[in-house]
Amino acid sequence: MDVEELRQRLETDSGSLSLPPSLRSTLTIDYRKVDLALQWQDNSEFNHLLCPDSDCYPPLLKTISDPPPLLFVKGQPQALLIPALAMVGSRAASYTGLQTARKLAADIASRGLAVVSGLAAGIDGASHHGCLSVGGVTHGILGTGIEQVYPKKHLGLYQDIQTKGCVVSELWPDVGVFAGNFPKRNRIVAGMALGTLVVEAARKSGSLISARLAMEEGREVFAVPGNILDERHQGCHDLLRQGAKLVCEAADIVEELDAILRCQLDMLPQSPNIQAEAGQELPYPELLASVEYETTPLDRLVEHSGKPIDLVLEQILELELQGWVAAVPGGYVRIRRN
């Protein structure tokens, strides 16, 4: 993204705000900050600026009521197109809660889904670690600027996430810790994901904000039950009373997500690659050869086909529409022979 492109997008976004004309006319764009953002992007090949019309902007995030007009991203932006589950919970989690988060995140990642969380202490950190332990893709959504690591003990985790996934912030890189920014970032955590899983939460836990936002956006909400005498589980029990899906294992989540997963694939940007190869008698033979007659996770398709994730998602959708494969919980299956 160059200077003129970013300026034009900012001007377009500011002109479309739902504000009275008299107030909108007083808004000005600080081009000094625009230049600083572009300088930040140029500092590293892993630094990226994404607007809602960028190819790698998270598809489901575009559909929320107030999507961020600009995202600062460090890592692998194509990974933001992988269907994801948000995992949240208490910062002061129990040992059992931390182990549960690690186990569920690892199982979810093994089924081809990415894990989105807030890089906070407790359940967030355990979820990121569990995903990374099986080589999965995970995204950390920050409540600070992209260059500010909070808590500091998660510096290593912050760096590890970027090897296959992303750290993401809507705040300018130098913004430090401010309590009001953390609830606001929860809409990004919930908005990027097919659904939100609350692993352990008391009634006043901030993670319940993510669950509420997910409900408001029509996303699935899941909760892990716990000891009825332990207040650290009361928030999850309240969610279950309100209709959240009870989760004991990853299969409880995946079986609920098939319909919304199809919706996300339909939203992916189309590229000329589909038309370019559509005339072949056997469409996308390298990718099709990677799909087995038993469930094949999305991450295995990416690895075996040698194609970038955004192209895999486009082509697998085309294969599904042509009747070669079918989307099932946990991935895809081959349903048609050559």
Side-chain angles (χ1 to χ4, degrees):
M1 186 182 304
D2 59 23
V3 175
E4 278 308 310
E5 185 180 3
L6 182 55
R7 288 181 176 179
Q8 288 173 7
R9 291 182 179 184
L10 290 173
E11 288 170 354
T12 300
D13 288 338
S14 63
S16 63
L17 292 174
S18 300
L19 298 171
S22 58
L23 180 57
R24 193 165 59 231
S25 65
T26 65
L27 297 177
T28 60
I29 297 174
D30 186 345
Y31 289 107
R32 181 186 61 84
K33 296 193 76 173
V34 173
D35 291 337
L36 289 174
L38 291 166
Q39 288 174 20
W40 173 83
Q41 180 179 242
D42 292 340
N43 284 341
S44 170
E45 62 178 314
F46 299 108
N47 291 359
H48 306 273
L49 298 173
L50 300 182
C51 294
D53 59 350
S54 301
D55 289 344
C56 293
Y57 193 94
L60 289 178
L61 189 59
K62 297 179 186 180
T63 69
I64 70 172
S65 58
D66 55 345
L70 182 65
L71 292 175
F72 293 86
V73 175
K74 291 176 75 75
Q76 317 300 321
Q78 296 86 355
L80 294 171
L81 299 177
I82 298 175
L85 175 76
M87 292 185 62
V88 297
S90 173
R91 284 179 169 83
S94 67
Y95 174 81
T96 300
L98 296 174
Q99 293 300 104
T100 300
R102 282 178 176 267
K103 175 69 164 59
L104 287 172
D107 290 347
I108 285 294
S110 297
R111 290 169 178 260
L113 292 174
V115 171
V116 181
S117 198
L119 203 68
I123 296 299
D124 286 16
S127 299
H128 291 304
H129 280 299
C131 184
L132 292 171
S133 72
V134 294
V137 172
T138 185
H139 307 303
I141 314 304
L142 308 184
T144 60
I146 195 75
E147 297 293 345
Q148 311 300 312
V149 183
Y150 179 80
K152 295 294 185 184
K153 68 178 183 179
H154 279 173
L155 175 59
L157 183 57
Y158 169 93
Q159 295 168 337
D160 290 343
I161 287 173
Q162 297 174 46
T163 60
K164 293 188 67 176
C166 298
V167 290
V168 178
S169 177
E170 66 176 327
L171 303 171
W172 292 89
D174 60 349
V175 173
V177 178
F178 176 68
N181 285 333
F182 290 93
K184 186 179 179 184
R185 70 93 191 269
N186 288 351
R187 83 189 195 286
I188 303 177
V189 174
M192 283 177 55
L194 299 162
T196 295
L197 168 64
V198 184
V199 177
E200 184 177 272
R203 284 192 170 129
K204 293 185 178 181
S205 171
S207 60
L208 298 182
I209 297 174
S210 296
R212 175 178 58 79
L213 292 170
M215 290 179 181
E216 291 175 355
E217 297 294 344
R219 311 290 171 82
E220 298 289 341
V221 175
F222 307 90
V224 176
N227 188 334
I228 62 172
L229 302 179
D230 189 338
E231 63 180 13
R232 288 175 293 194
H233 299 282
Q234 291 174 350
C236 289
H237 294 158
D238 289 345
L239 288 174
L240 293 170
R241 291 190 189 97
Q242 295 164 18
K245 168 106 176 158
L246 186 149
V247 168
C248 295
E249 57 184 12
D252 298 327
I253 298 168
V254 174
E255 68 184 17
E256 293 289 323
L257 297 182
D258 184 52
I260 195 169
L261 176 56
R262 289 171 179 265
C263 176
Q264 181 174 3
L265 291 173
D266 288 342
M267 292 163 53
L268 286 172
Q270 297 297 307
S271 78
N273 293 298
I274 289 181
Q275 284 69 33
E277 299 185 39
Q280 296 180 3
E281 183 176 348
L282 184 62
Y284 319 127
E286 293 180 359
L287 178 59
L288 190 57
S290 302
V291 185
E292 301 172 1
Y293 290 95
E294 296 181 357
T295 303
T296 310
L298 180 60
D299 59 345
R300 192 183 305 166
L301 292 180
V302 174
E303 180 182 355
H304 287 185
S305 68
K307 299 176 182 289
I309 178 63
D310 54 341
L311 184 56
V312 169
L313 288 169
E314 291 174 9
Q315 293 184 352
I316 199 69
L317 175 59
E318 184 70 12
L319 289 171
E320 184 181 0
L321 294 174
Q322 292 185 26
W324 290 93
V325 304
V328 297
Y332 296 86
V333 294
R334 180 82 172 265
I335 58 175
R336 179 175 162 192
R337 296 183 182 277
N338 297 355

